[in-house]
Amino acid sequence: MNPFQFTRVTTPKAAISAITKERGTYFLAGGTNLIDLMKREVIIPERLVDINKLPLATIEKTATGLRIGATAKNSTVADNELVKKHFPLLSQALNAGASAQLRNMATVGGNMMQRTRCPYFYDTSMPCNKRSPVQAGVDKGQANGPSGCGAIGGHNRMHAIFGASGKCIAVHPSDMCIALVALDATVNVSGPKGDRTIPFIDFHRLPGDLPQKDNTLQPGELIMWVDLPTNRFADNSHYLKVRDRASYAFALVSVGVGLDIKRNTIQDVRLAMGGVAHKPWRLTAAEEFLKGKPATEANFKQAAALAMQGAKGYGENDFKLTLAPNTIVNALKTATKTA
Amino acid sequence: MTTNTKNPPIDRIDGRMKVTGGAQYFADFELPNTAYCVIVGSEIAKGTIAGLDTKKAQGAPGVLGVFTHQNMPPIPGWDAPVGGEADGPPPRPKGEQYRILSSPKIHFDGQPIAIVVADSFERATYAASLVKATYTKQTARTDLRKHVSDGVAPRGEDGGNYSRGQADGYKTAPVTLEANYTVPIEVHNPMELHGILAHWTGASTLMIYAKTQGVNATQQAMAEAFKIDPKNIHVHTEFMGGGFGMGLRTWPQETAVVAIARKIGRPLKLVVNRSQMFTLVGHRPYTVQTINMGADQTGKLIGIAHAATAETASYEDFTEATVNMTKFLYACPNVSTRYRIVRLDRSVPIWMRGPGEATGAFALESAMDEMAHKLNLDPIEFRLRNYTETDPERNRPYSSKYLKEAYQRGAEAIGWNNRKLQPGSTREGDWLVGYGMSTGTFNAFRWEASARALLKADGSLTIQSAVTDIGPGTGTALTMIAHNVLGVPMNRIKVEYGDTSLPKAPTQGGSAIVSAVGSAVFDACTSVKNELIELALKAGGPLAGRQANELTMADGTLSVEREPGKKVAVSDLMQANKLTVIDKTKDSKGGPEHAKYSMYSFSVHFVQVRVNPLTGVVRVSKAVSVADSGRIVSPKTAASQMIGGVAGGIGMALTEEAVIDHRFGRFVNNNLGDYHVAVYADVPAIETIMIDKPDPIINPMGAKGMGEIALIGFAAAVANAVFNATGQRVRDLPITPDKLLRAV
Ligand SMILES: Cc1cc2nc3c(=O)[nH]c(=O)nc-3n(C[C@H](O)[C@H](O)[C@H](O)COP(=O)(O)OP(=O)(O)OC[C@H]3O[C@@H](n4cnc5c(N)ncnc54)[C@H](O)[C@@H]3O)c2cc1C
């Protein structure tokens, strides 16, 4: 780990100006991802700006739903009564992630910004385009170890089956974000050029030719909070995470689902999948198909088949082509209590 | 002590100390003026260092030295090259390490290429990051599966070659089976990281705090390496935060730290990092096995052939007893075994809990289940039809064997009668339910050991032995043994261990310590007791005229059994004889009668699993493990041993695998986030059953070992249960969801 400077800020304005001032400056929230990356020398910051003292740790009701501050801890959000009552999917997804100790430190903003767990990204002696982009431009000067994609033709059991590129097949590892994309969250950010709101689905991006960019946050921008619109899914929500051990493992595939059901007819539904793409993967085609249909296993299977269109395996992860639709069906059955 | 009575469950004597932070592990020791070192590892698996830039590191704050193959202080005991090149490739004798930092050649990924020393751990870590190497790479062979045909018999060994009857007698059987099984690389991954603190207290006197399973072994290794008298080397390892086998030898980096400490003239501490735990302290070797088995329609085994091929390093042959249990576990007229190693560009393996037997049991006990299925027989019934009361390998009796009873008691406890013979026929909601079982066995050893007993006139007793407690509760078991002999109340017994200043003991391993060190404690205490009896019985003594065998000893008092009231307090007896202490040291070992018997511990594991056919997820929902370990000396810590072994077994069965990208020869999951040991949520309540019948031969306590059999066979029980639940047979561990989905 390199020596670095450390400052603590108490206002968003100070945070933004601190990060804009000097290159190589990073926000430090819970530190559960950033510190690991520093130890492995994947990220070598010159300066850390501790944002844990910002007044952004609150969870409050708004006219349209719920507002969750960016520095609220994962465990605080998961245990919050309003969240549990109105957005149980979010609570379940959070509790499916990491371990209790990590959730006690991890924040909402940090969770959204966490990097992929691709082993080639973490080992600076192995090729990775995300860590060592080949293109000049946005992240110029960031090369750190060899470029290329180690996962293509390598160990890619955990990797993407949707939306990958020839440059990168990594997945976004978050559980929380699967719930947030399903629940139509919006993200409020503040930066040197002012404030803006980003629909959650547009927050993360596909790798394309710029795998070094995980998301659409601009330089100097700070995540302030996430807004959740009120919904009718609380009674029929489920987050199903399939993993290699019962706890403390990233998803092979996960599915977040929320439904509004009346007389066994699906009025409205939200479906998203994790562990399958470079971003939280919303299953809109499957949602469209299910709307207005009865909640039956046959329909779930058809929806799952629609969701899988365009999926592609890379060898070790071919099993996800079977696991993903099965998990969709399983999650739908559990959420609709038709299991 | 009489082996006829069961021992009461007592709390771990050091439990409170451990949970309150009082127990000191090697890295907890702080010495004034200590320097810290960090190892820089190779990023390639085979080749030569072309350039090594240490300038920046040398100039970094607090740096006291950067040691590489160019300036490593010599290790006197290593000066004469043993065969081949100084640093290593074959031929090297077994147990000889590669010579760390002695040449630019790279033999495995992570091989130390520099050791950076600084005045703090953080500064050493930073400076280590500034060391930059360039390499001339060669193609590394790291994938055992691609090189099985390169398997050779280990140097100087028969390669597990064994046969009785017809080597391929299985072929003549009406029902035959051939199956291949894989056990991947597993890494011990104890919580505590490996390392050493070395302090030269004089020109040729040395104090070492190490993470070793045997202080005497470390003392001996350092004496040889530095050509000094072992008496001048003091090694201390009282506690270990888990060993599982990785501390069964002295590793080259430990020797290097001792050499550098001498050079810089300061105490020097090394604590490796987690990823280095995958390359510098051994692992369970990747092993592929083939079992051929034949049986007749009545369920009698006709023949078994068991062949194993395991990886080792290019520079050292590591071997283990992978095929051994096949030779003696079942009555079978035609048995052959073969063991081969393939020398790869990998770091050398070492025994990992259950060692080779756990690997072998996965194959043999899976195959037994496969054969039972072919014969349409209950797997327990199949084993009973091939049960043997005598050892068919050596044609002699077992010292004790209660395996039949173990089958029966375990079957009752798990509810074996709920198991359906037909796989895939029990469903609970979305989940398929299955039952599986397997047998485990491991040598019951009694190695040489010594111990000292000091009984004071105030009635307190101190027991001493150099043995290290790697976690099973050695001190607790020794307390119980001393208590049983001398009747001293348990809270007046103090056990001192883990230090070379104490009587010599073997390395903690091989499930042998209760038997070995326990016997020495028994003998030392018996010697104390005999002296007391002599004093009591001698002319003019308080119990004069009675016979030694009429006396009992309890609660600090010697009494005559059939004369109530006729007794003498031990403290009075000692005072009357002006004795402040009775001090006895005993060397202890098994007698010649041992050669007449085969001595083994046995276990039976039963599991119930739930398998989700849609997701391929397997959950162990119930586990019952039964141990035939002779007399159980300390029931509570023995049960803990068993529970720990089963938790390890769940990891072996379902989650553990260190994965290498063979294009680079490097691990891709060398951390505790990605290398999955079983976590609490994976481990159900485990029922442990102790047969608890004394072995009349092995030692005076009648106690056989426990540590290995707790794990041996468990993975097969899970695989067998998964088969019973789903009809899918997974022969490559671990049984992860993708394997079950792929099989659909
Ligand atoms: C062993 C392990 C297992 C894990 N398992 C899981 C799992 O199963 N599921 C899962 O979802 N997650 C898992 N995690 C990841 C964990 O959820 C993340 O590490 C955590 O959410 C990151 O939050 P943090 O506050 O600690 O972020 P930090 O590490 O502090 O920061 C991460 C990044 O976010 C940036 N950042 C933080 N806050 C803001 C903000 N407000 N605005 C802009 N940028 C910001 C930082 O600059 C940094 O680049 C695991 C982590 C570990 C170490």
Side-chain angles (χ1 to χ4, degrees):
Chain A
M1 200 188 275
N2 265 43
F4 55 86
Q5 289 181 15
F6 178 87
T7 42
R8 182 170 280 155
V9 292
T10 51
T11 64
K13 231 178 115 196
I16 294 158
S17 91
I19 201 168
T20 317
K21 218 161 46 198
E22 279 174 70
R23 283 191 67 86
T25 305
Y26 285 76
F27 294 135
L28 177 72
T32 61
N33 190 213
L34 184 56
I35 303 291
D36 276 359
L37 290 162
M38 289 166 64
K39 286 185 184 170
R40 300 287 300 263
E41 286 161 22
V42 177
I43 295 178
I44 306 172
E46 300 289 332
R47 199 150 78 114
L48 294 185
V49 178
D50 180 350
I51 58 169
N52 287 289
K53 291 277 185 305
L54 297 186
L56 294 175
T58 52
I59 302 170
E60 42 190 37
K61 251 192 171 125
T62 61
T64 54
L66 198 67
R67 174 163 294 178
I68 302 173
T71 59
K73 299 290 185 194
N74 284 185
S75 52
T76 311
V77 179
D79 292 344
N80 181 277
E81 290 306 324
L82 293 170
V83 173
K84 283 198 287 191
K85 184 150 181 250
H86 302 293
F87 305 95
L89 182 63
L90 176 59
S91 178
Q92 289 175 26
L94 279 164
N95 279 328
S99 66
Q101 293 92 329
L102 284 159
R103 295 194 295 270
N104 283 339
M105 291 302 292
T107 62
V108 169
N111 193 317
M112 290 166 59
M113 297 294 288
Q114 65 173 297
R115 310 301 308 267
T116 183
R117 308 305 290 201
C118 176
Y120 301 95
F121 176 68
Y122 273 80
D123 184 338
T124 53
S125 80
M126 302 230 228
C128 175
N129 290 322
K130 187 181 274 300
R131 189 191 60 237
S132 297
V134 272
Q135 309 82 356
V138 202
D139 286 310
K140 196 165 60 181
Q142 267 202 347
N144 180 5
S147 298
C149 177
I152 297 175
H155 288 290
N156 51 41
R157 194 169 162 273
M158 303 296 289
H159 287 70
I161 52 172
F162 291 108
S165 76
K167 296 249 157 54
C168 177
I169 62 171
V171 298
H172 192 261
S174 167
D175 292 297
M176 177 192 81
C177 293
I178 306 309
L180 291 179
V181 80
L183 296 170
D184 293 320
T186 51
V187 187
N188 278 267
V189 304
S190 183
K193 294 183 189 148
D195 302 349
R196 62 189 184 111
T197 302
I198 311 167
F200 201 89
I201 196 161
D202 297 329
F203 185 82
H204 296 96
R205 58 183 295 284
L206 292 176
D209 280 338
L210 296 173
Q212 66 271 35
K213 280 182 72 68
D214 293 348
N215 53 55
T216 54
L217 202 67
Q218 295 303 310
E221 281 184 328
L222 171 75
I223 302 170
M224 301 287 284
W225 57 75
V226 168
D227 278 321
L228 285 172
T230 312
N231 65 47
R232 296 167 185 274
F233 306 134
D235 291 341
N236 295 97
S237 289
H238 189 60
Y239 187 74
L240 177 58
K241 181 176 179 183
V242 181
R243 46 186 150 174
D244 282 324
R245 60 180 168 188
S247 171
Y248 195 41
F250 287 93
L252 295 167
V253 165
S254 69
V255 171
V257 53
L259 304 104
D260 176 12
I261 302 183
K262 287 203 184 68
R263 275 162 263 104
N264 204 37
T265 300
I266 299 167
Q267 310 293 318
D268 201 1
V269 55
R270 298 288 182 275
L271 265 171
M273 197 152 44
V276 294
H278 196 260
K279 60 185 287 187
W281 200 243
R282 181 83 178 257
L283 310 181
T284 24
E287 289 175 6
E288 284 312 315
F289 171 82
L290 285 171
K291 269 179 213 163
K293 298 221 171 52
T296 64
E297 184 161 351
N299 282 332
F300 298 160
K301 282 190 171 152
Q302 281 198 50
L306 280 172
M308 291 307 292
Q309 280 179 5
K312 174 177 183 302
Y314 289 85
E316 277 189 356
N317 70 349
D318 289 349
F319 72 96
K320 290 189 181 182
L321 302 176
T322 310
L323 178 59
N326 286 0
T327 309
I328 295 170
V329 173
N330 231 357
L332 281 164
K333 280 166 71 178
T334 309
T336 55
K337 304 172 180 83
T338 53
Chain B
M1 176 187 204
T2 154
T3 53
N4 290 330
T5 26
K6 295 199 177 193
N7 292 303
I10 58 165
D11 290 345
R12 200 176 269 266
I13 56 165
D14 45 22
R16 175 176 291 265
M17 212 195 335
K18 283 186 171 173
V19 298
T20 55
Q24 284 209 291
Y25 297 78
F26 90 88
D28 295 331
F29 288 93
E30 292 293 347
L31 299 173
N33 206 29
T34 296
Y36 299 81
C37 63
V38 167
I39 292 174
V40 182
S42 160
E43 293 187 336
I44 65 163
K46 188 178 170 69
T48 312
I49 300 170
L52 197 53
D53 181 1
T54 60
K55 255 206 207 86
K56 264 195 186 158
Q58 251 146 358
V63 170
L64 301 166
V66 179
F67 295 89
T68 69
H69 65 278
Q70 287 152 341
N71 65 342
M72 179 65 193
I75 292 166
W78 286 2
D79 49 9
V82 188
E85 299 166 62
D87 66 331
R92 297 189 68 76
K94 192 176 173 185
E96 273 281 339
Q97 296 274 329
Y98 77 94
R99 274 134 196 221
I100 185 168
L101 300 180
S102 65
S103 99
K105 290 242 165 88
I106 300 297
H107 307 295
F108 62 92
D109 169 53
Q111 179 181 322
I113 57 168
I115 296 181
V116 179
V117 184
D119 57 4
S120 78
F121 173 70
E122 290 74 12
R123 287 173 145 182
T125 303
Y126 171 57
S129 75
L130 301 175
V131 174
K132 296 292 171 223
T134 53
Y135 305 92
T136 311
K137 269 190 220 177
Q138 283 171 271
T139 311
R141 294 154 76 250
T142 55
D143 188 353
L144 179 72
R145 287 168 309 176
K146 288 219 176 91
H147 299 285
V148 173
S149 58
D150 299 342
V152 294
R155 281 182 283 260
E157 286 184 35
D158 62 7
N161 281 343
Y162 166 84
S163 84
R164 70 169 173 264
Q166 297 276 307
D168 56 0
Y170 62 87
K171 283 185 179 159
T172 64
V175 185
T176 58
L177 169 92
E178 173 170 337
N180 299 312
Y181 303 91
T182 310
V183 174
I185 299 161
E186 290 169 21
V187 179
H188 309 70
N189 266 326
M191 200 70 102
E192 182 195 25
L193 297 164
H194 185 67
I196 187 169
L197 167 59
H199 177 33
W200 288 87
T201 48
S204 54
T205 55
L206 184 56
M207 175 75 215
I208 289 175
Y209 302 87
K211 177 163 183 162
T212 174
Q213 292 177 228
V215 290
N216 291 124
T218 298
Q219 180 187 43
Q220 189 57 36
M222 293 304 177
E224 282 164 22
F226 293 93
K227 292 192 169 163
I228 52 177
D229 191 335
K231 281 205 300 283
N232 293 332
I233 303 178
H234 187 169
V235 183
H236 180 88
T237 309
E238 192 175 359
F239 298 108
M240 218 177 175
F244 311 121
M246 45 78 57
L248 284 171
R249 76 186 301 174
T250 301
W251 297 100
Q253 62 273 12
E254 296 179 77
T255 313
V257 168
V258 174
I260 295 171
R262 184 182 230 175
K263 172 94 186 166
I264 62 167
R266 289 171 71 160
L268 183 60
K269 190 187 274 188
L270 168 74
V271 179
V272 306
N273 66 31
R274 183 56 63 180
S275 68
Q276 290 169 338
M277 294 291 282
F278 284 67
T279 52
L280 297 183
V281 290
H283 56 273
R284 191 192 296 286
Y286 198 110
T287 306
V288 295
Q289 299 175 78
T290 304
I291 299 249
N292 276 285
M293 190 179 275
D296 69 17
Q297 304 290 1
T298 71
K300 280 263 181 230
L301 283 167
I302 306 280
I304 310 175
H306 183 176
T309 306
E311 56 153 341
T312 187
S314 65
Y315 52 85
E316 188 188 343
D317 288 358
F318 171 80
T319 64
E320 55 182 357
T322 308
V323 295
N324 275 23
M325 71 190 270
T326 303
K327 302 174 190 170
F328 66 83
L329 190 57
Y330 297 108
C332 177
N334 305 297
V335 172
S336 65
T337 66
R338 204 187 68 163
Y339 180 78
R340 293 285 180 270
I341 51 171
V342 179
R343 299 182 186 118
L344 298 178
D345 301 312
R346 296 258 302 116
S347 60
V348 73
I350 190 131
W351 301 283
M352 177 163 158
R353 195 172 186 180
E357 286 81 347
T359 299
F362 170 62
L364 178 64
E365 289 295 286
S366 291
M368 286 296 284
D369 198 74
E370 297 199 44
M371 184 54 96
H373 178 70
K374 281 199 165 194
L375 297 167
N376 209 25
L377 272 180
D378 179 278
I380 300 178
E381 178 56 29
F382 179 47
R383 285 170 174 82
L384 290 176
R385 288 191 192 175
N386 296 285
Y387 197 81
T388 176
E389 297 287 359
T390 54
D391 173 3
E393 180 191 1
R394 297 197 166 85
N395 285 314
R396 60 187 186 190
Y398 294 108
S399 56
S400 65
K401 182 179 181 183
Y402 297 102
L403 185 54
K404 242 181 212 170
E405 185 177 338
Y407 287 138
Q408 185 205 329
R409 288 187 58 189
E412 271 164 30
I414 194 94
W416 188 252
N417 53 9
N418 293 322
R419 177 185 187 271
K420 305 277 188 299
L421 207 53
Q422 187 57 40
S425 38
T426 307
R427 199 175 247 278
E428 275 176 26
D430 273 347
W431 297 77
L432 295 166
V433 181
Y435 293 84
M437 55 81 58
S438 78
T439 318
T441 180
F442 193 77
N443 292 76
F445 293 112
R446 176 167 172 195
W447 298 328
E448 260 185 87
S450 48
R452 180 181 184 193
L454 296 115
L455 183 68
K456 295 213 186 97
D458 67 2
S460 69
L461 175 69
T462 301
I463 299 294
Q464 295 181 333
S465 167
V467 69
T468 289
D469 184 354
I470 61 171
T474 303
T476 312
L478 299 183
T479 301
M480 181 63 85
I481 290 167
H483 165 79
N484 284 343
V485 177
L486 282 172
V488 176
M490 261 160 326
N491 60 8
R492 313 262 0 241
I493 302 175
K494 190 172 162 214
V495 185
E496 293 172 355
Y497 50 89
D499 195 290
T500 48
S501 66
L502 305 171
K504 202 167 174 174
T507 296
Q508 168 96 264
S511 306
I513 290 308
V514 164
S515 175
V517 181
S519 296
V521 169
F522 182 95
D523 288 353
C525 290
T526 303
S527 173
V528 169
K529 182 177 167 179
N530 288 343
E531 176 154 344
L532 288 168
I533 290 174
E534 221 170 89
L535 294 173
L537 296 183
K538 73 176 182 197
L543 306 179
R546 277 73 179 183
Q547 299 297 313
N549 60 8
E550 295 173 309
L551 306 186
T552 57
M553 198 157 156
D555 291 332
T557 307
L558 265 175
S559 34
V560 185
E561 215 160 355
R562 52 182 177 73
E563 287 178 71
K566 191 70 195 165
K567 57 184 182 187
V568 59
V570 167
S571 50
D572 293 344
L573 188 62
M574 287 176 70
Q575 264 153 29
N577 288 278
K578 302 201 166 47
L579 288 173
T580 53
V581 62
I582 300 179
D583 179 354
K584 301 284 181 191
T585 299
K586 282 282 165 192
D587 298 328
S588 179
K589 62 176 174 189
E593 71 282 5
H594 278 190
K596 295 185 210 141
Y597 296 90
S598 290
M599 302 193 290
Y600 291 101
S601 289
F602 298 92
S603 61
V604 186
H605 300 286
F606 286 88
V607 299
Q608 181 200 56
V609 299
R610 287 178 151 66
V611 183
N612 189 312
L614 284 179
T615 60
V617 167
V618 178
R619 314 278 312 128
V620 175
S621 41
K622 228 176 179 184
V624 176
S625 289
V626 193
D628 165 16
S629 284
R631 169 62 75 227
I632 301 300
V633 167
S634 171
K636 214 167 169 178
T637 50
S640 298
Q641 266 279 68
M642 204 75 186
I643 289 168
V646 168
I650 292 176
M652 182 179 186
L654 298 180
T655 58
E656 288 189 50
E657 175 176 17
V659 179
I660 292 176
D661 186 326
H662 298 293
R663 298 171 302 172
F664 306 98
R666 279 171 80 78
F667 286 110
V668 293
N669 63 343
N670 48 0
N671 59 76
L672 283 184
D674 296 324
Y675 179 92
H676 294 146
V677 298
V679 295
Y680 277 123
D682 295 300
V683 181
I686 297 160
E687 185 174 345
T688 60
I689 297 175
M690 307 290 161
I691 298 296
D692 204 355
K693 289 186 179 164
D695 182 297
I697 306 298
I698 187 164
N699 55 42
M701 296 83 65
K704 302 192 278 189
M706 164 73 65
E708 322 299 328
I709 56 161
L711 184 136
I712 296 170
F714 193 85
V718 174
N720 297 342
V722 167
F723 177 76
N724 182 244
T726 64
Q728 289 170 247
R729 174 63 61 180
V730 180
R731 300 187 183 88
D732 303 326
L733 292 179
I735 308 171
T736 45
D738 47 332
K739 289 181 185 159
L740 287 169
L741 285 174
R742 226 182 276 139
V744 164

